[in-house]
Amino acid sequence: MARDWPHLPKLQSEDDAFSVAPEGWSTCQIEHIFEKLEIGKRFDQKTSFPSGKIPVIDQSAYGFVGYHDEEPGVVAAKTSPVITFANHTCEMRVMRRPFSVIQNVFPMVGRPGVCETLFFYYSTKGRVHLEEYKGHYPDFRRLWINLPPLAEQKAIAAVLGALDDKIELNRRMNATLEAMARALYQSWFVDFDPVRAKLDGREPVGLDPATAALFPEHFVESALGPIPQRWEVCSLANKIELLSGGTPKTSEPNYWDGDIPWYSVKDAPSETDIWVIQTEKQVTKLGVDNSATQVLPEGTTIISARGTVGRLALVGTQMAMNQSCYGVRGVNAYADFFTYFSLRQATADLQQRTHGTVFDTITRQTFETLDYIFPPAPLMQAFDRTVEPSLAQMRANIHQSHTLTTLRDTLLPKLLSGELMAKDAESLIGKVA
Amino acid sequence: MKTELVGRGIVKRGRGRSDSVSLVGAEPVAKATAQAKNGRKARASSNGTANLGFEAKLWLTADKLRNNMDAAEYKHVVLGLIFLKYISDSFEEQRAKLLAGEGDYEGANPEDPDEYKAENVFWVPAEARWHQLQANAKQPTIGKLVDDAMVAIERDNPRLKGVLPKDYARPGLDKQRLGELIDVIATIELTASRESGASEGEQTHRSVDLLGRVYEYFLTRFASAEGKNGGQFYTPSCVVRCLVEMLEPYKGRIYDPCCGSGGMFVQSEKFVESHGGKLGDISIYGQESNATTRRLAVMNLALRGIEADFGPEHADSFRRDLHPDLRADYVLANPPFNDSDWVRRDDDVRWQFGVPPKGNANFAWVQHFLHHLAPQGMAGFVLANGSMSSNQSGEGEIRKALIEADLVDCMVAMPGQLFYSTQIPVCLWFLAKSKAADSQRGFRDRRGHTLFIDARKLGSLIDRVHRELLEADLEKISGTYHRWRSADSVGSYDDVPGFCKSATIAEIAAHGHVLTPGRYVGAEEVEDDGEPFEEKMPRLVAELEAQFAESARLEQAIKANLRGLGYGA
């Protein structure tokens, strides 16, 4: 969720420094207060592998290009983080584990005794903007910042760092919750574990008796191989209705910047977040009324259908969407979360069935050609009931991360300018930790 | 081919050539072959386009001289000169043999044009010989001299009538740059070094090979430099090779009714040669509607000593079929994509499966190909992806009729970004007039069956926007098809989820007669993480517990921090 924080003016010279800096603070160009680290062996896309112990980072903001099992180029740890600056993309990252880099990624730490590494990160991140395709490192080195005493730096870093840590934790927590829900779907509806257990005369694992009773004890033959008794094979299209989207006229200002989020595939959440609760653009009620789009209820699954096919999102708050997507709702008690996870299961197949002259496309007809195995309605509902608390927690985490991000971005300029002093907080943090 | 040349020790180090090629003097065959292979591999991984380093160098030099001229215009200037150099050089080689007057040539008259024609070498009159032009390259009259040379060659060689470009004297062509260009082309060293002791036949081989390669390389580079042009795109050589490797046209009549610069034919010849066949095992029929492109094709094939029947002149295959009675063994083609501006006669005998829509010629081409196939004939061609699924204006009906007539042998979905100036995704169609068993060609009875191959994941990016199918990709695609159609049970064919599937007509009907391979091959089998549910859940639960605890701690820390800033209780 982290974006460039937009709050600090670009300081070109000492004169641009904050006019009222507290006593004891100095203003300096950052080249004097950080140390560029040796990068060891340099890797690239081709020389790194899909898995391994040491990640390799490139110039992007997230993720790794690959891994390797050799000596790490840069040593970092939880307590001694390393900052990287990407020469062309201007992306900055905090690394807390040993890593290696591709070219044009520069690892650095604050100069010991002068500058706290994390403080350095917060006071420079997002300050050099991507302009044309050239090296931005010289601009970066010459940034001016306000430099408080070391204790204050640590305090500022602790305040902002705790917020970022919690945002990151929420992301990981969602990944865990998502993995649990998906494992349950896989076990019940793909591997048929409870049916197999009953067939063997075992008790199904981890099911209350009422839910366990919903699973049959036998398999029957079907077009898609053996399926649990009384389950059915039918086309996906029979179980869902598709809602379409649209774009209000962009030339009509009254249709835009309203309070209804308007989804496009750009807003798709990561697979492990599932929910979408906010979008880059918003429309007005008038815009919805005067275009093909409609307002999708919470719990609708959105699937992208043109260009990028098969990105999913679960609607976490009522929203409209553009015409490159379908909203999918189950019909006849076909439950929301079950719908989401069965589409997730079907995505690879849907992507295989794309057609289109210029863009890959799926249409209503594509859903008709896809046969799936469906359990009886009570089982789908049992699944929804079981995963509901996890999914609710995930949504709450996303909301919380938004709040934390806003809080961080509000505090950051105040703390860096000295308008708000964090020093007092330090002792408290010590007590908690 | 090159391996052969290198092996025989004929390609030697020359001026301006890159060392990346194994140009050897008299090294042992085995070693030289290995070097050549390595060389090719290295190039394939560096830029994928299997080219000699020196061709690229030559291109850079020539392109520098292009200055502000359009690539489309400059193409004809450069390719015309390369052709001139080629026929002049091969003439000189033959002349040298005649002058030496040894063996068969004893008593031959080097000034008798018939002595050249007998050897399939063009007669080049004195004023058109390369050294003559090069000597005058710095003269302001060089444009006129080149034109005169072209005219003289056409006059003495009826086969080239109307084919050579003759507008080098036009004011728009900077004469100084033209002179420099001639010097650049002159560096394509052809004349075999007399002292290398290479035999005569090999010398000819080498000329054809080198200049042919340069010509082809330049065609490709021009294709990427030129803009879009009405749905017509130069077919990248990996796509042509894929068609050829699939069809394996060992011998017989090969036909391309929209042949462009003749790339299909050149690859077919290469295929035949690399499989031990000889020039002349296949006969070639082409047609091209664009006059200047047709000239490029004639030159392209003449450069390689390939005889081809392009009909008497340029013409549109729908308006005027230049080979009305031809029944080809193989059709290889890349017709214009989704051509919306074509001339249709409603009662045309070719529309056996339904009248194609006026707004899209795809199925007109398909039926044109079928019309020209011999009873055992096969066609392989490139079409835009829309052809596999479109139901507009009766196209669905035509496709259905083709499927029900059991003509569709194999469909291949290609990866995107293969073409130079368009991102359009394409597919390959393979039609067979007869799918019955064919013991001569080793085909099994595949009636009622169609092979679907989804090759969209194959290929490697050679730069940010261009992808190329490498040797292994081509082998994977064509090998799958060959195993599928082979009567030999050894190494037999199996469906591979996500890649290939043999489907029946009934299955295709169930999919609404849509031929998109993705529909049939299904999704790739996802590797299970192998962790049983009973173990996975406790692990995840433990992780979650730890995260909740961490969350509580962080919440406390944040609250404390905020209090420290004067907010909150």
Side-chain angles (χ1 to χ4, degrees):
Chain A
M1 276 301 136
R3 301 214 169 90
D4 282 353
W5 15 110
H7 322 282
L8 292 181
K10 187 170 175 179
L11 299 189
Q12 296 290 7
S13 71
E14 199 171 356
D15 299 337
D16 292 345
F18 304 101
S19 46
V20 277
E23 237 183 272
W25 290 36
S26 58
T27 302
C28 67
Q29 244 170 334
I30 64 168
E31 57 189 331
H32 305 299
I33 56 160
F34 74 83
E35 285 176 359
K36 218 166 137 182
L37 300 177
E38 293 296 317
I39 59 167
K41 180 178 170 188
R42 184 182 286 164
F43 286 83
D44 60 31
Q45 237 159 345
K46 284 183 194 132
T47 51
S48 50
F49 300 94
S51 63
K53 283 203 287 287
I54 308 297
V56 180
I57 66 173
D58 63 2
Q59 298 205 45
S60 54
Y62 307 99
F64 305 116
V65 277
Y67 299 84
H68 65 83
D69 283 324
E70 298 172 38
E71 282 294 297
V74 183
V75 177
K78 227 171 153 126
T79 48
S80 54
V82 172
I83 309 300
T84 62
F85 175 80
N87 192 19
H88 294 305
T89 60
C90 303
E91 296 291 356
M92 292 179 71
R93 303 170 66 156
V94 183
M95 293 299 295
R96 296 172 194 272
R97 58 187 279 201
F99 64 99
S100 287
V101 295
I102 71 161
Q103 62 176 2
N104 274 311
V105 177
F106 306 135
M108 50 189 71
V109 292
R111 176 169 293 168
V114 177
C115 179
E116 177 73 14
T117 301
L118 266 188
F119 169 80
F120 178 76
Y121 169 73
Y122 284 114
S123 49
T124 53
K125 174 159 175 156
R127 296 264 309 274
V128 179
H129 293 284
L130 179 61
E131 278 157 25
E132 66 215 61
Y133 188 76
K134 59 159 185 152
H136 295 81
Y137 179 64
D139 288 349
F140 178 78
R141 281 179 41 177
R142 286 195 282 274
L143 282 176
W144 287 85
I145 63 165
N146 284 335
L147 190 67
L150 208 53
E152 176 70 13
Q153 291 180 28
K154 283 186 177 157
I156 290 173
V159 170
L160 298 172
L163 296 170
D164 270 340
D165 286 351
K166 178 68 171 115
I167 294 169
E168 167 61 18
L169 177 69
N170 285 351
R171 195 191 61 72
R172 280 188 284 126
M173 202 190 294
N174 278 4
T176 310
L177 292 164
E178 185 268 347
M180 292 170 79
R182 193 153 39 85
L184 192 71
Y185 179 90
Q186 174 86 19
S187 168
W188 284 17
F189 303 120
V190 180
D191 298 335
F192 314 126
D193 287 337
V195 185
R196 284 177 208 286
K198 282 182 146 182
L199 187 63
D200 292 352
R202 289 180 283 120
E203 277 299 306
V205 182
L207 292 184
D208 61 77
T211 312
L214 295 171
F215 287 92
E217 291 168 21
H218 294 287
F219 287 98
V220 292
E221 268 309 314
S222 81
L224 295 177
I227 61 168
Q229 210 171 22
R230 293 188 303 279
W231 292 27
E232 60 172 327
V233 168
C234 79
S235 137
L236 194 55
N238 290 349
K239 295 285 180 185
I240 55 173
E241 62 170 327
L242 293 180
L243 312 172
S244 45
T247 307
K249 215 188 252 175
T250 48
S251 57
E252 180 52 70
N254 288 333
Y255 294 171
W256 293 90
D257 298 323
D259 50 9
I260 303 171
W262 181 75
Y263 178 92
S264 80
V265 70
K266 283 199 296 261
D267 302 306
S270 71
E271 281 201 347
T272 54
D273 269 343
I274 296 185
W275 296 97
V276 58
I277 59 165
Q278 67 171 23
T279 58
E280 192 185 317
K281 292 180 177 170
Q282 289 81 37
V283 293
T284 60
K285 176 85 172 42
L286 201 63
V288 171
D289 293 343
N290 287 291
S291 72
T293 189
Q294 50 195 313
V295 174
L296 307 169
E298 272 181 36
T300 306
T301 298
I302 298 179
I303 181 165
S304 62
R306 294 191 69 219
T308 313
V309 167
R311 287 298 301 269
L312 296 179
L314 191 58
V315 173
T317 178
Q318 290 196 356
M319 61 180 62
M321 65 176 175
N322 76 5
Q323 60 276 20
S324 300
C325 308
Y326 286 118
V328 184
R329 305 259 330 154
V331 293
N332 302 334
Y334 187 102
D336 286 343
F337 301 143
F338 180 83
T339 306
Y340 175 86
F341 283 101
S342 40
L343 277 172
R344 176 91 156 251
Q345 189 74 20
T347 305
D349 272 321
L350 284 170
Q351 282 167 342
Q352 274 298 323
R353 285 157 199 252
T354 58
H355 57 82
T357 319
V358 180
F359 295 114
D360 280 348
T361 307
I362 50 173
T363 60
R364 282 165 196 279
Q365 201 238 333
T366 318
F367 290 89
E368 282 163 25
T369 62
L370 207 58
D371 285 339
Y372 259 79
I373 301 165
F374 294 99
L379 251 181
M380 294 183 203
Q381 287 148 3
F383 174 77
D384 266 42
R385 276 197 306 279
T386 311
V387 299
E388 203 276 333
S390 292
L391 278 139
Q393 174 73 57
M394 290 172 74
R395 181 161 56 167
N397 284 345
I398 296 170
H399 276 294
Q400 189 189 53
S401 290
H402 278 300
T403 311
L404 291 167
T405 305
T406 315
L407 188 59
R408 180 198 64 198
D409 292 355
T410 314
L411 287 175
L412 184 129
K414 305 278 183 202
L415 290 169
L416 292 181
S417 66
E419 209 176 309
L420 203 57
M421 296 290 278
K423 211 171 186 172
D424 303 337
E426 192 195 12
S427 54
L428 291 162
I429 294 161
K431 274 179 210 157
V432 175
Chain B
M1 178 77 203
K2 192 172 88 252
T3 311
E4 231 171 274
L5 293 171
V6 175
R8 286 191 224 139
I10 353 151
V11 180
K12 69 177 276 282
R13 246 168 250 281
R15 271 180 296 133
R17 282 185 211 157
S18 159
D19 285 346
S20 68
V21 195
S22 310
L23 301 160
V24 295
E27 290 185 61
V29 172
K31 192 179 165 200
T33 309
Q35 275 187 355
K37 269 190 192 140
N38 291 341
R40 189 184 306 137
K41 216 194 222 161
R43 280 193 308 284
S45 62
S46 66
N47 72 356
T49 40
N51 294 300
L52 298 166
F54 105 97
E55 289 162 355
K57 248 190 230 170
L58 196 68
W59 164 262
L60 287 178
T61 322
D63 198 48
K64 212 177 281 168
L65 293 170
R66 173 158 78 89
N67 202 18
N68 294 325
M69 198 184 280
D70 275 350
E73 196 185 348
Y74 191 59
K75 175 167 75 180
H76 298 284
V77 172
V78 177
L79 295 179
L81 285 177
I82 293 177
F83 185 72
L84 191 61
K85 166 91 168 126
Y86 159 77
I87 61 169
S88 183
D89 279 15
S90 45
F91 170 83
E92 295 293 352
E93 279 178 3
Q94 181 67 14
R95 185 174 152 83
K97 290 179 211 162
L98 295 172
L99 282 173
E102 287 163 12
D104 290 347
Y105 300 117
E106 208 176 320
N109 174 10
E111 299 311 319
D112 178 0
D114 287 338
E115 294 282 3
Y116 296 85
K117 278 168 195 156
E119 296 288 322
N120 202 13
V121 171
F122 293 104
W123 162 259
V124 181
E127 69 267 35
R129 291 175 198 170
W130 185 263
H131 58 84
Q132 192 69 30
L133 296 174
Q134 207 189 337
N136 288 304
K138 301 283 180 290
Q139 303 300 319
T141 54
I142 182 65
K144 172 126 186 16
L145 291 175
V146 174
D147 285 347
D148 291 347
M150 297 288 189
V151 170
I153 291 170
E154 283 195 6
R155 182 192 61 215
D156 291 350
N157 299 281
R159 241 180 88 191
L160 297 176
K161 189 115 195 87
V163 164
L164 306 181
K166 293 176 285 288
D167 51 358
Y168 288 86
R170 66 179 187 275
L173 192 60
D174 182 332
K175 295 305 168 305
Q176 194 192 331
R177 285 178 193 276
L178 177 59
E180 288 172 37
L181 184 61
I182 288 175
D183 284 341
V184 169
I185 291 172
T187 62
I188 310 173
E189 193 56 59
L190 279 182
T191 21
S193 53
R194 307 280 178 246
E195 61 273 22
S196 79
S199 79
E200 291 136 5
E202 286 162 348
Q203 287 179 21
T204 319
H205 252 301
R206 206 192 60 182
S207 315
V208 172
D209 192 45
L210 267 189
L211 267 170
R213 275 167 175 278
V214 171
Y215 192 89
E216 187 180 338
Y217 182 76
F218 274 41
L219 267 180
T220 312
R221 296 303 303 252
F222 277 121
S224 57
E226 276 177 53
K228 299 181 181 195
N229 182 14
Q232 300 184 32
F233 301 99
Y234 181 84
T235 324
S237 72
C238 65
V239 175
V240 181
R241 276 200 55 201
C242 191
L243 287 172
V244 171
E245 296 288 336
M246 292 283 280
L247 285 184
E248 301 189 302
Y250 285 111
K251 57 179 167 192
R253 291 175 297 268
I254 296 185
Y255 175 50
D256 181 353
C258 36
C259 65
S261 45
M264 299 284 178
F265 304 137
V266 171
Q267 282 300 340
S268 300
E269 281 288 352
K270 280 189 189 163
F271 175 84
V272 169
E273 283 189 4
S274 68
H275 286 81
K278 31 180 206 303
L279 226 64
D281 278 356
I282 56 177
S283 43
I284 283 169
Y285 300 84
Q287 175 160 354
E288 170 56 43
S289 63
N290 180 306
T292 46
T293 308
R294 178 176 179 277
R295 287 187 204 133
L296 295 180
V298 176
M299 286 192 272
N300 197 2
L301 293 204
L303 263 170
R304 294 155 200 278
I306 304 174
E307 292 252 16
D309 180 351
F310 288 105
E313 61 193 340
H314 64 99
D316 174 345
S317 287
F318 294 123
R319 228 186 276 248
R320 189 165 146 235
D321 191 346
L322 295 181
H323 306 285
D325 302 322
L326 173 66
R327 293 293 176 267
D329 299 291
Y330 299 97
V331 167
L332 282 158
N334 174 21
F337 297 137
N338 303 319
D339 190 359
S340 57
D341 182 26
W342 67 289
V343 178
R344 180 179 82 181
R345 244 193 21 242
D346 292 358
D347 59 346
D348 200 308
V349 60
R350 288 174 286 192
W351 312 151
Q352 297 230 345
F353 301 90
V355 180
K358 278 204 166 109
N360 191 323
N362 285 353
F363 283 95
W365 284 111
V366 174
Q367 298 193 65
H368 178 79
F369 302 151
L370 282 170
H371 176 75
H372 282 287
L373 277 186
Q376 302 294 325
M378 301 180 78
F381 48 89
V382 186
L383 283 183
N385 275 357
S387 62
M388 300 188 288
S389 58
S390 136
N391 280 319
Q392 284 153 14
S393 321
E395 290 192 328
E397 288 303 309
I398 300 176
R399 198 171 52 244
K400 184 178 169 193
L402 295 171
I403 292 162
E404 280 172 354
D406 203 8
L407 290 164
V408 186
D409 205 29
C410 177
M411 297 295 303
V412 182
M414 298 292 265
Q417 306 184 316
L418 286 176
F419 280 71
Y420 293 102
S421 45
T422 175
Q423 300 272 21
I424 195 167
V426 300
C427 55
L428 306 183
W429 287 63
F430 294 92
L431 304 182
K433 257 310 201 15
S434 162
K435 285 153 82 173
D438 179 341
S439 57
Q440 219 177 350
R441 290 190 285 185
F443 297 166
R444 67 182 181 93
D445 183 354
R446 7 186 244 295
R447 280 176 295 184
H449 289 80
T450 297
L451 175 65
F452 290 91
I453 297 179
D454 188 345
R456 287 181 295 176
K457 294 211 178 76
L458 301 188
S460 314
L461 280 177
I462 51 170
D463 58 44
R464 279 150 52 98
V465 287
H466 294 119
R467 187 179 292 275
E468 196 166 274
L469 293 174
L470 302 180
E471 200 66 40
D473 301 318
L474 295 173
E475 164 56 32
K476 184 171 182 193
I477 299 170
S478 61
T480 303
Y481 177 53
H482 295 155
R483 280 195 303 280
W484 175 79
R485 74 179 181 185
S486 169
D488 190 350
S489 58
V490 181
S492 65
Y493 166 88
D494 285 311
D495 287 347
V496 178
F499 179 68
C500 61
K501 157 95 182 162
S502 180
T504 62
I505 292 184
E507 285 172 79
I508 299 173
H511 279 281
H513 298 98
V514 165
L515 290 174
T516 312
R519 293 212 173 189
Y520 300 92
V521 304
E524 231 170 310
E525 269 170 20
V526 187
E527 287 272 329
D528 202 329
D529 60 10
E531 190 178 9
F533 184 66
E534 292 78 12
E535 288 169 27
K536 186 186 254 180
M537 283 310 273
R539 177 177 65 76
L540 290 173
V541 168
E543 270 176 33
L544 194 61
E545 293 290 344
Q547 285 166 354
F548 280 149
E550 169 79 357
S551 180
R553 191 189 70 77
L554 274 170
E555 274 178 30
Q556 289 306 316
I558 291 168
K559 277 187 200 163
N561 288 345
L562 293 173
R563 269 200 305 278
L565 295 168
Y567 299 99

